[in-house]
Amino acid sequence: MVDNAAHDRRERRRGRTGQAGSESSRRPDYRSLKNPFLPQPVFSDDQVAAIHDTALRVLEELGIKVLLPQARRVFAGAGALVDEDSQMVKIGRDMVEAALASAPRSIRANGGARERDLMLELGSMAFLAGAGAPNVTDLERGRRPGTLAAFEDLTRLIQHFDVLHMLGPCIEPQDIDNHFRHYAVNRAQLTLSDKFPFVFARGTPQVEDGFEMLRLARGLSEDEFRAGAYCYTIINTNSPRQLDIPMAQGIIDFAKAGQVLVITPFCLAGAMAPITVAGALTLQHAEALAGLTLAQIVRPGAPVVYGSFSSNVDMKSGAPAFGTPEHIKATLGAGQLARFTGLPWRSGGGSAANISDAQAAHETQFALWGSVLAGATVCIHAAGWLEGGLSVSFEKLITDIEALQTVAELCARTPGDEDSIGFEAIAEVQPGGHFFSAGHTMARYRTAFYEPLVADWSNFGNWTQAGSKSATERATGIWKRLLADFQPPASAAATAGVLDEFIARRSEEGGAPPVS
């Protein structure tokens, strides 16, 4: 009989069980990634120019509906044609071109520690977990509405993995009243992590609360805060051709404060956008340019990330689909449009699968490769996202990290010097021999290869005796161990006192209702 405990110890030493904390001297750096791949096109240069020109024509001739009166006044003051009765705003191409000229090509995103700072620009690459889900799921507790406890646990896991570079609104904590929810979300991010945080754009009062909490946590004056980018938000247009009240207000508030705006239309071909990839991208481009123009009118030089999240729907049911050929083509085309503008840009991954299974894995990884080959600066929904955004899975977060770390490994330089080429090693081993004990191997074996997080490379017999666990089942053990061992960064934990004082005062004042 095999001693399972001894077997497990051997497997840990070899890094093959996916057990968090397994022994390894390998220390890869996943914190600052540069995309090594040449961007792949899906359209010709002439077609990209035609899409851009048609998007300008959409804004100039058809316009966009802007529901916020203040935003319409801002557009009108800059020369746009505004019809107050219909709330339609027609934006001249000269205004758009001026906005593109003033938007920064590179954005320094300041984390809570300098080693967490990011440069958002073409050629850099950052990954985020799934965001915006109302539900959370795992194998032990099943699918359930999002809670603050689950949000905090997901934030702990995101903090642990360096290949997830920014925080985000992974799930909605529905057990906290929406007058106070933003306090809890911001507190969790600022006390559990030192990564670049997210602030909801749900009306000026909540935004200002978020900014004040950041200033308190980071020890910044208002002028220092406005002089740098310390947080971001995501602005979604209401396709087709509509900008609602909280999103328009968010653009104004974040632009005034000099904080990062990720302006992202969500265009599903055949539903909220033309059924062709080129048509969906034309509408997406027009809507993104409208939001970008508003931001630059408010504050020239405001940090803006061009956003893309276009895919298709199942024409039988109308349900969104992700990781499809059309999703990948739309991402590749969006990359071409972003490079046409010169701006940093975000893409979207994800899966329409209902559980963490083979469908979920291949949809997410195809979407991921679309983002990588398109040269996306930021890929949101890169880990954990299920059901087209209706849930985030603890297990899928872990299994997706494996794919992200594989991509991160491809960003590292592959040595090709004389010693790496290894003539002496080849000469040392006789025909029919092996390289296990060769000097070349012995000098490198501890750090030569990527060590898997969740993949199991043991043979069938050992795998069976260890419990015959699937990758998803092994992932449960990993996230549970990580949460049990988690320690927040000391600098983040130290902010709890000052944040709690602020939250208590604002809560006594009634909090801040969201704006809709």
Side-chain angles (χ1 to χ4, degrees), residues 313-390:
V313 297
D314 175 3
M315 294 307 294
K316 296 177 181 177
S317 67
F322 300 95
T324 64
E326 293 74 26
H327 182 189
I328 297 166
K329 289 180 180 180
T331 302
L332 296 175
Q336 291 182 270
L337 289 165
R339 291 189 295 278
F340 186 88
T341 67
L343 298 178
W345 72 286
R346 72 144 280 194
S347 65
S351 168
N354 292 302
I355 61 170
S356 181
D357 60 3
Q359 176 187 339
H362 81 69
E363 287 178 350
T364 301
Q365 290 189 37
F366 271 112
L368 169 63
W369 274 111
S371 295
V372 172
L373 296 179
T377 309
V378 176
C379 179
I380 301 181
H381 312 314
W385 215 56
L386 284 173
E387 300 179 69
L390 292 180

Coordinates of all heavy atoms in Angstrom, one line a residue, residues 313-390:
V313 N -25.2 37.6 -29.3 CA -26.2 36.9 -28.5 C -26.6 35.6 -29.2 O -26.3 35.5 -30.4 CB -27.5 37.8 -28.3 CG1 -27.2 39.1 -27.5 CG2 -28.1 38.2 -29.7
D314 N -27.2 34.8 -28.4 CA -27.8 33.6 -29.0 C -29.1 34.0 -29.7 O -30.0 34.5 -29.0 CB -28.1 32.6 -27.9 CG -28.8 31.3 -28.4 OD1 -29.1 31.2 -29.6 OD2 -29.2 30.5 -27.5
M315 N -29.2 33.9 -31.0 CA -30.3 34.5 -31.7 C -31.6 33.6 -31.5 O -32.7 34.0 -31.8 CB -30.0 34.6 -33.2 CG -29.0 35.6 -33.5 SD -29.3 37.2 -32.8 CE -30.7 37.7 -33.7
K316 N -31.4 32.5 -30.8 CA -32.6 31.7 -30.5 C -33.3 32.1 -29.2 O -34.5 32.1 -29.0 CB -32.3 30.2 -30.3 CG -31.8 29.6 -31.6 CD -31.3 28.1 -31.4 CE -30.8 27.5 -32.7 NZ -30.3 26.1 -32.5
S317 N -32.4 32.6 -28.2 CA -32.9 33.0 -26.9 C -32.7 34.4 -26.6 O -33.4 35.0 -25.6 CB -32.3 32.1 -25.8 OG -30.9 32.4 -25.7
G318 N -31.8 35.1 -27.2 CA -31.4 36.4 -26.9 C -30.4 36.5 -25.8 O -30.0 37.6 -25.4
A319 N -29.9 35.4 -25.3 CA -29.0 35.4 -24.2 C -27.6 35.8 -24.6 O -27.2 35.4 -25.7 CB -28.9 34.0 -23.5
P320 N -26.8 36.6 -23.8 CA -25.5 37.0 -24.2 C -24.6 35.7 -24.3 O -24.7 34.7 -23.6 CB -25.0 37.9 -23.1 CG -26.3 38.3 -22.4 CD -27.2 37.2 -22.5
A321 N -23.6 35.8 -25.2 CA -22.6 34.7 -25.4 C -21.2 35.4 -25.3 O -21.0 36.5 -25.7 CB -22.8 34.1 -26.7
F322 N -20.3 34.6 -24.8 CA -18.9 35.1 -24.6 C -17.9 34.0 -25.0 O -18.2 32.8 -25.0 CB -18.7 35.5 -23.1 CG -19.6 36.6 -22.7 CD1 -20.8 36.3 -22.0 CD2 -19.3 37.9 -23.0 CE1 -21.6 37.3 -21.6 CE2 -20.2 38.9 -22.6 CZ -21.3 38.6 -21.9
G323 N -16.7 34.4 -25.4 CA -15.7 33.5 -25.8 C -16.0 32.9 -27.2 O -15.5 31.9 -27.6
T324 N -16.9 33.5 -27.9 CA -17.4 33.1 -29.2 C -16.4 33.6 -30.3 O -15.7 34.6 -30.0 CB -18.8 33.5 -29.6 OG1 -18.8 35.0 -29.6 CG2 -19.8 33.1 -28.5
P325 N -16.4 33.1 -31.5 CA -15.6 33.7 -32.6 C -15.9 35.2 -32.8 O -15.0 36.0 -33.0 CB -16.0 32.9 -33.8 CG -16.4 31.5 -33.3 CD -17.1 31.8 -32.0
E326 N -17.2 35.5 -32.7 CA -17.6 36.9 -32.9 C -17.1 37.8 -31.7 O -16.6 38.9 -32.0 CB -19.1 37.1 -33.0 CG -19.7 36.4 -34.2 CD -19.7 34.9 -34.1 OE1 -19.8 34.3 -33.0 OE2 -19.7 34.3 -35.2
H327 N -17.1 37.3 -30.5 CA -16.5 38.0 -29.4 C -15.0 38.3 -29.6 O -14.5 39.4 -29.4 CB -16.7 37.2 -28.1 CG -16.2 37.8 -26.9 ND1 -16.2 37.2 -25.7 CD2 -15.8 39.1 -26.6 CE1 -15.7 38.0 -24.7 NE2 -15.4 39.1 -25.2
I328 N -14.3 37.3 -30.0 CA -12.9 37.4 -30.3 C -12.6 38.4 -31.4 O -11.7 39.2 -31.3 CB -12.3 36.0 -30.6 CG1 -12.4 35.1 -29.3 CG2 -10.8 36.2 -30.9 CD1 -12.2 33.7 -29.6
K329 N -13.4 38.3 -32.5 CA -13.2 39.2 -33.6 C -13.5 40.6 -33.2 O -12.8 41.6 -33.6 CB -14.1 38.8 -34.8 CG -13.6 37.5 -35.5 CD -14.6 37.2 -36.6 CE -14.2 35.9 -37.4 NZ -15.1 35.6 -38.5
A330 N -14.5 40.8 -32.4 CA -14.8 42.2 -31.9 C -13.7 42.7 -31.0 O -13.4 43.9 -31.1 CB -16.2 42.1 -31.1
T331 N -13.1 41.9 -30.2 CA -12.0 42.3 -29.4 C -10.8 42.7 -30.3 O -10.1 43.7 -30.0 CB -11.6 41.2 -28.4 OG1 -12.8 40.9 -27.6 CG2 -10.5 41.7 -27.5
L332 N -10.5 41.9 -31.3 CA -9.4 42.2 -32.1 C -9.6 43.5 -32.9 O -8.7 44.4 -33.0 CB -9.2 41.1 -33.2 CG -8.7 39.7 -32.6 CD1 -8.7 38.7 -33.7 CD2 -7.4 39.8 -31.9
G333 N -10.9 43.7 -33.3 CA -11.2 45.0 -34.0 C -11.1 46.1 -33.1 O -10.7 47.2 -33.4
A334 N -11.6 45.9 -31.8 CA -11.5 47.0 -30.8 C -10.0 47.4 -30.6 O -9.7 48.6 -30.4 CB -12.2 46.6 -29.5
G335 N -9.2 46.4 -30.6 CA -7.7 46.8 -30.4 C -7.2 47.6 -31.6 O -6.4 48.5 -31.3
Q336 N -7.7 47.3 -32.8 CA -7.3 48.2 -33.9 C -7.8 49.6 -33.7 O -7.1 50.6 -34.0 CB -7.8 47.6 -35.2 CG -7.1 46.3 -35.6 CD -7.6 45.7 -36.9 OE1 -8.6 44.9 -36.9 NE2 -7.0 46.1 -38.0
L337 N -9.0 49.8 -33.3 CA -9.6 51.1 -33.1 C -8.9 51.8 -32.0 O -8.6 53.0 -32.1 CB -11.1 51.0 -32.8 CG -12.0 50.6 -34.0 CD1 -13.3 50.1 -33.5 CD2 -12.1 51.7 -35.0
A338 N -8.5 51.1 -30.9 CA -7.8 51.7 -29.8 C -6.4 52.2 -30.3 O -6.0 53.3 -29.9 CB -7.7 50.8 -28.6
R339 N -5.7 51.4 -31.1 CA -4.4 51.8 -31.6 C -4.6 53.0 -32.5 O -3.7 53.8 -32.6 CB -3.7 50.6 -32.2 CG -3.3 49.6 -31.2 CD -2.4 48.5 -31.9 NE -3.1 47.7 -32.9 CZ -3.9 46.7 -32.6 NH1 -4.1 46.3 -31.4 NH2 -4.4 46.0 -33.6
F340 N -5.7 53.0 -33.3 CA -6.0 54.1 -34.2 C -6.1 55.4 -33.4 O -5.6 56.5 -33.8 CB -7.3 53.9 -34.9 CG -7.6 54.9 -36.0 CD1 -7.2 54.7 -37.3 CD2 -8.4 56.0 -35.7 CE1 -7.5 55.6 -38.3 CE2 -8.7 56.9 -36.7 CZ -8.3 56.7 -38.0
T341 N -6.6 55.4 -32.1 CA -6.7 56.6 -31.3 C -5.5 56.8 -30.5 O -5.2 57.9 -30.0 CB -7.9 56.5 -30.3 OG1 -7.7 55.4 -29.4 CG2 -9.2 56.2 -31.1
G342 N -4.7 55.7 -30.2 CA -3.5 55.8 -29.4 C -3.7 55.7 -27.9 O -2.8 55.9 -27.1
L343 N -5.0 55.4 -27.5 CA -5.3 55.4 -26.1 C -5.2 54.0 -25.5 O -5.3 53.0 -26.1 CB -6.8 55.8 -25.9 CG -7.1 57.2 -26.4 CD1 -8.6 57.5 -26.2 CD2 -6.3 58.3 -25.7
P344 N -4.9 54.0 -24.2 CA -5.0 52.7 -23.4 C -6.4 52.2 -23.5 O -7.4 53.0 -23.6 CB -4.6 53.1 -22.0 CG -4.8 54.5 -21.9 CD -4.6 55.1 -23.3
W345 N -6.6 50.9 -23.5 CA -8.0 50.4 -23.6 C -8.2 49.1 -22.8 O -7.3 48.4 -22.5 CB -8.3 50.2 -25.1 CG -7.6 49.0 -25.8 CD1 -6.3 48.9 -26.1 CD2 -8.2 47.8 -26.2 NE1 -6.0 47.7 -26.7 CE2 -7.2 47.0 -26.8 CE3 -9.5 47.3 -26.1 CZ2 -7.4 45.7 -27.3 CZ3 -9.8 46.0 -26.6 CH2 -8.7 45.3 -27.2
R346 N -9.5 48.9 -22.6 CA -9.9 47.7 -21.8 C -10.8 46.8 -22.7 O -11.5 47.2 -23.6 CB -10.8 48.1 -20.6 CG -12.2 48.6 -20.9 CD -13.2 48.1 -19.9 NE -13.7 46.7 -20.1 CZ -14.8 46.2 -19.6 NH1 -15.5 46.9 -18.7 NH2 -15.1 45.0 -19.8
S347 N -10.6 45.5 -22.4 CA -11.4 44.5 -23.1 C -12.2 43.8 -22.0 O -12.1 44.1 -20.8 CB -10.6 43.5 -23.9 OG -9.7 42.8 -23.0
G348 N -13.0 42.8 -22.4 CA -13.8 42.0 -21.5 C -13.7 40.5 -21.8 O -13.8 40.1 -22.9
G349 N -13.4 39.7 -20.8 CA -13.4 38.2 -20.9 C -14.8 37.7 -20.5 O -15.8 38.3 -20.7
G350 N -14.8 36.5 -19.8 CA -16.0 36.0 -19.3 C -16.5 34.8 -20.0 O -15.9 34.3 -21.0
S351 N -17.6 34.3 -19.5 CA -18.2 33.0 -19.9 C -19.7 33.1 -19.7 O -20.2 33.7 -18.7 CB -17.6 31.8 -19.2 OG -18.4 30.6 -19.4
A352 N -20.5 32.4 -20.6 CA -21.9 32.3 -20.4 C -22.3 31.0 -19.7 O -23.5 30.7 -19.5 CB -22.6 32.4 -21.7
A353 N -21.3 30.1 -19.4 CA -21.6 28.9 -18.7 C -22.2 29.1 -17.4 O -21.9 30.1 -16.7 CB -20.3 28.0 -18.6
N354 N -23.0 28.1 -16.9 CA -23.7 28.2 -15.6 C -22.9 27.7 -14.5 O -23.2 28.0 -13.3 CB -25.0 27.5 -15.7 CG -26.0 28.3 -16.6 OD1 -26.3 29.4 -16.4 ND2 -26.4 27.6 -17.7
I355 N -21.9 26.8 -14.7 CA -21.0 26.3 -13.7 C -19.6 26.3 -14.2 O -19.3 26.5 -15.4 CB -21.4 24.9 -13.3 CG1 -21.3 23.9 -14.4 CG2 -22.8 24.9 -12.7 CD1 -21.5 22.4 -14.0
S356 N -18.7 26.1 -13.3 CA -17.3 26.0 -13.6 C -17.0 24.6 -14.3 O -16.6 23.7 -13.6 CB -16.4 26.2 -12.4 OG -15.0 26.2 -12.7
D357 N -17.1 24.6 -15.6 CA -16.9 23.3 -16.3 C -16.1 23.6 -17.5 O -15.5 24.6 -17.7 CB -18.3 22.7 -16.6 CG -19.2 23.6 -17.5 OD1 -18.7 24.7 -17.9 OD2 -20.3 23.2 -17.8
A358 N -16.1 22.6 -18.4 CA -15.3 22.7 -19.7 C -15.7 23.9 -20.5 O -14.9 24.6 -21.1 CB -15.3 21.4 -20.5
Q359 N -17.0 24.1 -20.6 CA -17.5 25.2 -21.4 C -17.0 26.5 -20.8 O -16.5 27.4 -21.5 CB -19.1 25.2 -21.4 CG -19.6 26.5 -22.1 CD -21.1 26.6 -22.0 OE1 -21.8 25.6 -21.7 NE2 -21.7 27.8 -22.1
A360 N -17.1 26.7 -19.5 CA -16.6 27.9 -18.8 C -15.2 28.1 -19.1 O -14.7 29.2 -19.3 CB -16.9 27.8 -17.3
A361 N -14.4 27.0 -19.0 CA -12.9 27.2 -19.2 C -12.6 27.6 -20.6 O -11.8 28.5 -20.8 CB -12.2 25.9 -18.9
H362 N -13.2 26.9 -21.6 CA -12.8 27.3 -23.0 C -13.3 28.6 -23.4 O -12.6 29.4 -24.1 CB -13.1 26.2 -24.0 CG -14.5 26.1 -24.5 ND1 -15.0 27.0 -25.3 CD2 -15.5 25.1 -24.3 CE1 -16.3 26.7 -25.6 NE2 -16.6 25.6 -25.0
E363 N -14.5 29.0 -23.0 CA -15.0 30.3 -23.3 C -14.1 31.4 -22.7 O -13.8 32.4 -23.4 CB -16.5 30.5 -22.9 CG -17.5 29.7 -23.7 CD -18.9 29.8 -23.2 OE1 -19.1 30.4 -22.1 OE2 -19.8 29.4 -23.9
T364 N -13.8 31.3 -21.4 CA -13.0 32.3 -20.8 C -11.6 32.4 -21.4 O -11.0 33.5 -21.6 CB -12.8 32.0 -19.3 OG1 -14.1 31.9 -18.7 CG2 -12.0 33.0 -18.6
Q365 N -11.0 31.2 -21.7 CA -9.6 31.3 -22.3 C -9.6 31.8 -23.7 O -8.7 32.5 -24.1 CB -9.0 29.9 -22.2 CG -8.7 29.5 -20.7 CD -7.8 28.3 -20.6 OE1 -6.9 28.0 -21.4 NE2 -8.1 27.5 -19.5
F366 N -10.6 31.5 -24.5 CA -10.7 32.1 -25.9 C -10.8 33.6 -25.8 O -10.2 34.3 -26.5 CB -11.8 31.4 -26.7 CG -11.4 30.2 -27.5 CD1 -11.9 29.0 -27.2 CD2 -10.5 30.4 -28.5 CE1 -11.5 27.9 -27.9 CE2 -10.1 29.3 -29.2 CZ -10.5 28.0 -28.9
A367 N -11.7 34.0 -24.8 CA -11.9 35.5 -24.6 C -10.5 36.1 -24.2 O -10.2 37.2 -24.6 CB -13.0 35.7 -23.6
L368 N -9.8 35.4 -23.3 CA -8.5 35.9 -22.8 C -7.5 36.0 -23.9 O -6.9 37.0 -24.1 CB -8.0 34.9 -21.7 CG -6.6 35.1 -21.3 CD1 -6.4 36.5 -20.6 CD2 -6.1 34.0 -20.3
W369 N -7.5 35.0 -24.8 CA -6.5 35.1 -25.9 C -6.9 36.1 -26.9 O -6.0 36.8 -27.5 CB -6.4 33.7 -26.6 CG -5.4 32.8 -25.9 CD1 -5.6 31.7 -25.2 CD2 -4.0 33.1 -25.8 NE1 -4.4 31.2 -24.6 CE2 -3.4 32.1 -25.0 CE3 -3.1 34.1 -26.3 CZ2 -2.0 32.0 -24.7 CZ3 -1.8 34.0 -26.0 CH2 -1.2 33.0 -25.3
G370 N -8.2 36.4 -27.0 CA -8.6 37.5 -27.9 C -8.1 38.8 -27.3 O -7.5 39.6 -28.1
S371 N -8.1 39.0 -26.0 CA -7.6 40.2 -25.4 C -6.1 40.3 -25.5 O -5.6 41.4 -25.8 CB -8.0 40.2 -23.9 OG -9.4 40.3 -23.8
V372 N -5.4 39.2 -25.3 CA -4.0 39.2 -25.4 C -3.5 39.5 -26.8 O -2.6 40.4 -27.0 CB -3.4 37.9 -24.9 CG1 -1.9 37.8 -25.1 CG2 -3.7 37.7 -23.4
L373 N -4.1 38.9 -27.8 CA -3.7 39.1 -29.2 C -4.2 40.4 -29.7 O -3.7 40.9 -30.7 CB -4.2 37.9 -30.0 CG -3.6 36.5 -29.7 CD1 -4.2 35.5 -30.6 CD2 -2.1 36.6 -29.8
A374 N -5.2 41.0 -29.1 CA -5.6 42.3 -29.5 C -4.8 43.5 -28.8 O -5.0 44.6 -29.2 CB -7.1 42.5 -29.2
G375 N -4.0 43.1 -27.8 CA -3.2 44.1 -27.2 C -3.9 44.9 -26.2 O -3.6 46.1 -26.0
A376 N -4.9 44.3 -25.5 CA -5.7 45.1 -24.5 C -4.8 45.5 -23.3 O -3.9 44.7 -22.8 CB -6.8 44.2 -24.0
T377 N -5.0 46.7 -22.9 CA -4.2 47.2 -21.7 C -4.8 46.6 -20.4 O -4.0 46.3 -19.5 CB -4.3 48.8 -21.6 OG1 -4.0 49.4 -22.9 CG2 -3.5 49.3 -20.5
V378 N -6.1 46.5 -20.3 CA -6.8 46.0 -19.2 C -7.8 45.0 -19.6 O -8.6 45.3 -20.5 CB -7.5 47.1 -18.4 CG1 -8.3 46.6 -17.2 CG2 -6.5 48.2 -17.9
C379 N -7.8 43.8 -19.1 CA -8.8 42.8 -19.4 C -9.6 42.5 -18.1 O -9.1 42.0 -17.1 CB -8.2 41.5 -19.9 SG -9.4 40.2 -20.2
I380 N -10.9 43.0 -18.1 CA -11.8 42.8 -17.0 C -12.6 41.5 -17.2 O -12.7 41.0 -18.3 CB -12.8 44.0 -16.9 CG1 -11.9 45.3 -16.6 CG2 -13.7 43.8 -15.7 CD1 -12.8 46.5 -16.5
H381 N -13.0 40.9 -16.1 CA -13.8 39.6 -16.1 C -12.8 38.4 -16.6 O -13.3 37.5 -17.2 CB -15.0 39.6 -17.1 CG -15.9 40.8 -16.9 ND1 -16.3 41.2 -15.7 CD2 -16.4 41.6 -17.8 CE1 -17.1 42.3 -15.8 NE2 -17.2 42.5 -17.1
A382 N -11.5 38.6 -16.3 CA -10.6 37.6 -16.7 C -10.6 36.3 -15.8 O -10.0 35.3 -16.2 CB -9.2 38.2 -16.7
A383 N -11.2 36.4 -14.6 CA -11.2 35.2 -13.7 C -12.5 35.2 -12.9 O -12.9 36.2 -12.3 CB -10.0 35.3 -12.8
G384 N -13.1 34.1 -12.9 CA -14.2 33.8 -11.9 C -15.6 34.1 -12.5 O -16.6 33.7 -11.8
W385 N -15.7 34.7 -13.6 CA -17.0 35.2 -14.1 C -17.8 34.1 -14.8 O -17.3 33.4 -15.6 CB -16.7 36.3 -15.2 CG -17.7 37.4 -15.3 CD1 -18.0 38.3 -14.3 CD2 -18.3 37.9 -16.4 NE1 -18.9 39.3 -14.7 CE2 -19.1 39.1 -16.1 CE3 -18.4 37.5 -17.8 CZ2 -19.8 39.8 -17.0 CZ3 -19.1 38.2 -18.7 CH2 -19.9 39.4 -18.3
L386 N -19.1 33.9 -14.4 CA -20.0 32.9 -14.9 C -21.3 33.5 -15.3 O -21.6 34.6 -14.9 CB -20.2 31.8 -13.9 CG -19.1 30.8 -13.7 CD1 -19.4 29.9 -12.5 CD2 -18.8 29.9 -14.9
E387 N -22.1 32.8 -16.0 CA -23.5 33.1 -16.4 C -23.6 34.5 -17.1 O -24.5 35.2 -16.9 CB -24.4 33.2 -15.1 CG -24.5 31.9 -14.3 CD -25.3 32.1 -13.1 OE1 -26.6 32.3 -13.3 OE2 -24.8 32.1 -12.0
G388 N -22.6 34.8 -17.9 CA -22.6 36.1 -18.5 C -22.6 37.3 -17.5 O -23.2 38.3 -17.8
G389 N -22.0 37.1 -16.4 CA -21.9 38.1 -15.4 C -22.9 38.1 -14.3 O -22.9 38.9 -13.4
L390 N -23.7 37.0 -14.2 CA -24.7 36.9 -13.1 C -24.1 36.3 -11.8 O -24.7 36.4 -10.8 CB -25.9 36.1 -13.5 CG -26.8 36.7 -14.6 CD1 -27.9 35.8 -14.9 CD2 -27.3 38.1 -14.1

